[in-house]
Amino acid sequence: MSDKYIAKSSAIASRLLGGEMMIMSAVDSTFFTLNPVATVIWQAADGRTPLSEIVACQVCTEFEVDPETARRDVERFVEELSGHGILLVSEHSIPDSATSPSEAA
Amino acid sequence: MQEMSQRALDLGVPMSVHFDITYRCNERCVHCYLDHDDHGEMTTGEIKRVLDELADAGTFFLTLSGGEVLMRRDFFELLEYARHLMFNVRIKTNAVMIGEVEAQRMVKLGVDQVQVSIYSHRPQVHDAITKLPGSLRRSMEAIRFLTQQGLRVTIANVLMTANLRDHAGVQALARALGVQYTLDPTITPKMDGDTSILNLRIPGSELNGVFHNENLVGNVEEFCAAPPVPDEDVMEGYPCSAGHTLAYISPYGDVFPCVQFPLPSGNVRRQKFLDIWNHSSELNDVRSIRAKDLPVCSTCSHVGTCTRCPGLAYMEGNMRGPSTADCEKSFHRTGIRSANMLRREGQEDRPISSGPLIHIQPMTAQPVVQQ
Ligand code: SF4
Ligand code: SF4
């Protein structure tokens, strides 16, 4: 997998509820809930950790899935959430200023 | 979303919090239930600490309201802080102080939606209710700024005797502006128990017209249908989300089950929010109530479909009792008398009154402002 960086968009609301993440887009009010695996990826989306590292260190180890399945599922997850604008994806690391709701953003 | 609400209920999470950050206001609406003097609002630091506690408690939906939120000079600082904590933020405002710059700031900070109170499409009626000359023009301008920035706006139209005929005009305004419209015929007693403003409530006969107007309620036949026979699920059900997944916090830190349910349950200046939420005997009492425990309502044919508000019932003197305003609504919606009406007819041995919509019993004023 070519390295990508993922970060949470600033235009969202999110909260952990009983181990699953609730996310709502502030752009179009679309609402998502993430299962525990997706929640782990979401929480690791800090804009600095390469996606490959998230898959290897968090998904594969914590959930005992084989790397190929994990990679495919994560790619799909990232594509879907970025399609809704709630996850930012870049070839380079993403600064905090892009992901934090602020007037300066 | 339904699923998440159920999960929050099962887990006992305060998923929604209505936070009045000030009672001060630049309008003086005739029907307002608040005391607008500042009796010692929480400071910026105190509010930020409470927001931290709410995030830790699992709150997702945060409504910032007042008074007028923009009367606080630190409003945008608080908003930015709340958004850093990833709340879904909704703002209730009269919008008079929102210009283009404020609208842009709200969008940048990712506000989910803004609800603006509009009483009439006619300036002389709206401004007479708010007692602020020019307020309709300024609120309308603000709505345009907000929608131009792409923010979702809802016009909230509180209906009372003074603007009884104007809901169609306000609805047309909302349509022209491309915003949502919501109508609310509820006028509540003042928070100190004073019931004088209840004479602004629209009379029952007019309520009948509102409930049979398809522009307001959609499918009239469905909306006004006779209630189905209540089953076991109904009798085991909770009255509403107040105290279950919803809490209210006043500018002085008082915690209630809901903005319309002034049962003092704790104060975040003295206790952690989660301690109040988990251990307050008042909240636990509210949570213990099922429909089957309501002495009058459990015998009422409307019990499964009534909008009975336990907060209004509390203000009438008994949170397990009927809410007269909702009895009137159920009656005028369906034409079927409520158990409460039948009981009172029996007691008074006379037909129900066609007089004012509400007869509130005197209540002991509850201290809502600590200190
Ligand atoms: S029914 Fe009354 S107490 Fe319950 S949530 Fe609605 S306004 Fe609040
Ligand atoms: S109509 Fe009145 S008596 Fe019947 S359930 Fe509603 S509040 Fe209770």
Side-chain angles (χ1 to χ4, degrees):
Chain A
M1 177 176 3
S2 66
D3 253 355
K4 285 180 190 160
Y5 295 85
I6 57 171
K8 304 161 191 105
S9 156
S10 61
I12 52 139
S14 67
R15 192 70 71 226
L16 201 57
L17 179 68
E20 295 191 357
M21 190 62 73
M22 300 184 277
I23 304 172
M24 192 184 261
S25 157
V27 177
D28 58 8
S29 286
T30 330
F31 186 75
F32 302 86
T33 57
L34 308 185
N35 71 5
V37 183
T39 296
V40 161
I41 302 167
W42 176 262
Q43 286 173 319
D46 59 4
R48 289 184 298 274
T49 314
L51 189 55
S52 58
E53 195 179 315
I54 296 175
V55 174
C57 300
Q58 311 255 0
V59 181
C60 293
T61 50
E62 283 190 38
F63 297 96
E64 292 180 13
V65 276
D66 70 88
E68 184 47 35
T69 314
R71 189 193 63 78
R72 241 194 356 256
D73 285 3
V74 169
E75 289 276 355
R76 224 183 1 244
F77 166 78
V78 167
E79 199 177 310
E80 183 175 351
L81 289 199
S82 64
H84 285 282
I86 65 174
L87 201 61
L88 310 177
V89 187
S90 168
E91 305 287 313
H92 310 283
S93 63
I94 303 165
D96 283 349
S97 57
T99 67
S100 178
S102 116
E103 295 196 58
Chain B
M1 184 61 80
Q2 189 83 31
E3 211 180 293
M4 297 318 290
S5 304
Q6 185 58 47
R7 179 188 286 229
L9 181 67
D10 295 342
L11 295 168
V13 171
M15 183 138 113
S16 306
V17 168
H18 180 130
F19 200 159
D20 279 350
I21 53 175
T22 181
Y23 284 159
R24 286 174 289 138
C25 194
N26 48 350
E27 293 186 339
R28 282 292 178 273
C29 297
V30 292
H31 62 291
C32 185
Y33 55 90
L34 296 173
D35 166 4
H36 296 298
D37 292 335
D38 180 356
H39 297 282
E41 291 172 359
M42 282 192 278
T43 62
T44 312
E46 283 178 304
I47 292 182
K48 286 182 177 176
R49 179 183 52 74
V50 174
L51 292 175
D52 287 336
E53 290 180 14
L54 294 178
D56 289 345
T59 300
F60 183 69
F61 296 108
L62 177 71
T63 300
L64 295 178
S65 180
E68 171 49 46
V69 287
L70 281 144
M71 292 294 281
R72 279 194 75 116
R73 286 171 193 270
D74 58 1
F75 172 67
F76 281 100
E77 184 181 344
L78 295 173
L79 177 59
E80 182 164 356
Y81 195 80
R83 288 291 299 124
H84 270 292
L85 293 170
M86 289 292 157
F87 291 107
N88 170 284
V89 178
R90 297 164 179 192
I91 297 171
K92 290 189 173 185
T93 171
N94 60 37
V96 164
M97 292 163 84
I98 298 178
E100 202 164 6
V101 172
E102 288 75 18
Q104 280 166 355
R105 294 176 84 179
M106 288 181 185
V107 172
K108 271 196 168 167
L109 290 171
V111 167
D112 184 53
Q113 45 182 290
V114 181
Q115 182 174 305
V116 182
S117 308
I118 299 289
Y119 302 103
S120 172
H121 56 297
R122 296 181 291 161
Q124 67 273 28
V125 175
H126 178 93
D127 295 359
I129 289 173
T130 64
K131 296 193 199 154
L132 181 68
S135 56
L136 178 64
R137 181 183 48 76
R138 289 168 66 184
S139 295
M140 294 299 295
E141 244 169 46
I143 293 174
R144 282 189 200 98
F145 289 139
L146 291 164
T147 51
Q148 277 161 13
Q149 296 298 324
L151 257 166
R152 265 184 298 284
V153 176
T154 297
I155 285 181
N157 184 189
V158 174
L159 213 54
M160 62 194 109
T161 46
N163 63 351
L164 190 53
R165 307 267 168 241
D166 289 4
H167 52 78
V170 180
Q171 218 178 5
L173 267 187
R175 250 196 314 272
L177 289 163
V179 302
Q180 296 286 324
Y181 168 88
T182 168
L183 177 121
D184 185 359
T186 312
I187 304 286
T188 57
K190 291 198 174 196
M191 288 186 99
D192 63 2
D194 177 359
T195 57
S196 58
I197 52 175
L198 296 184
N199 59 16
L200 297 169
R201 274 180 171 167
I202 59 173
S205 49
E206 296 289 347
L207 208 50
N208 200 316
V210 169
F211 288 156
H212 290 79
N213 180 336
E214 67 176 1
N215 290 324
L216 297 174
V217 303
N219 185 331
V220 173
E221 207 176 314
E222 225 171 74
F223 189 79
C224 297
V229 178
D231 58 17
E232 204 188 322
D233 280 357
V234 166
M235 299 315 277
E236 290 293 335
Y238 302 117
C240 67
S241 56
H244 292 273
T245 57
L246 168 70
Y248 167 80
I249 304 175
S250 84
Y252 310 118
D254 296 305
V255 176
F256 304 146
C258 167
V259 63
Q260 203 167 277
F261 196 162
L263 170 70
S265 305
N267 187 291
V268 286
R269 279 179 152 157
R270 296 190 294 271
Q271 300 150 276
K272 291 228 177 301
F273 174 80
L274 209 48
D275 285 339
I276 298 171
W277 181 257
N278 288 333
H279 305 302
S280 140
S281 55
E282 292 83 5
L283 291 179
N284 283 325
D285 192 19
V286 169
R287 287 178 197 130
S288 71
I289 303 171
R290 306 283 185 278
K292 66 179 181 192
D293 304 322
L294 306 172
V296 178
C297 300
S298 62
T299 67
C300 180
S301 59
H302 291 293
V303 66
T305 51
C306 178
T307 53
R308 175 186 175 275
C309 171
L312 292 179
Y314 170 76
M315 286 188 258
E316 287 187 51
N318 177 8
M319 67 175 163
R320 289 174 172 77
S323 144
T324 319
D326 291 298
C327 291
E328 296 281 351
K329 284 186 197 164
S330 292
F331 171 63
H332 288 289
R333 191 166 47 80
T334 62
I336 299 169
R337 281 176 161 68
S338 72
N340 189 31
M341 289 170 164
L342 295 170
R343 185 184 62 130
R344 284 167 47 192
E345 282 171 30
Q347 277 171 0
E348 295 166 11
D349 199 22
R350 62 173 173 77
I352 61 157
S353 145
S354 56
L357 175 59
I358 280 297
H359 308 270
I360 296 278
Q361 296 156 10
M363 63 173 274
T364 324
Q366 295 287 342
V368 289
V369 178
Q370 307 283 332
Q371 62 190 294

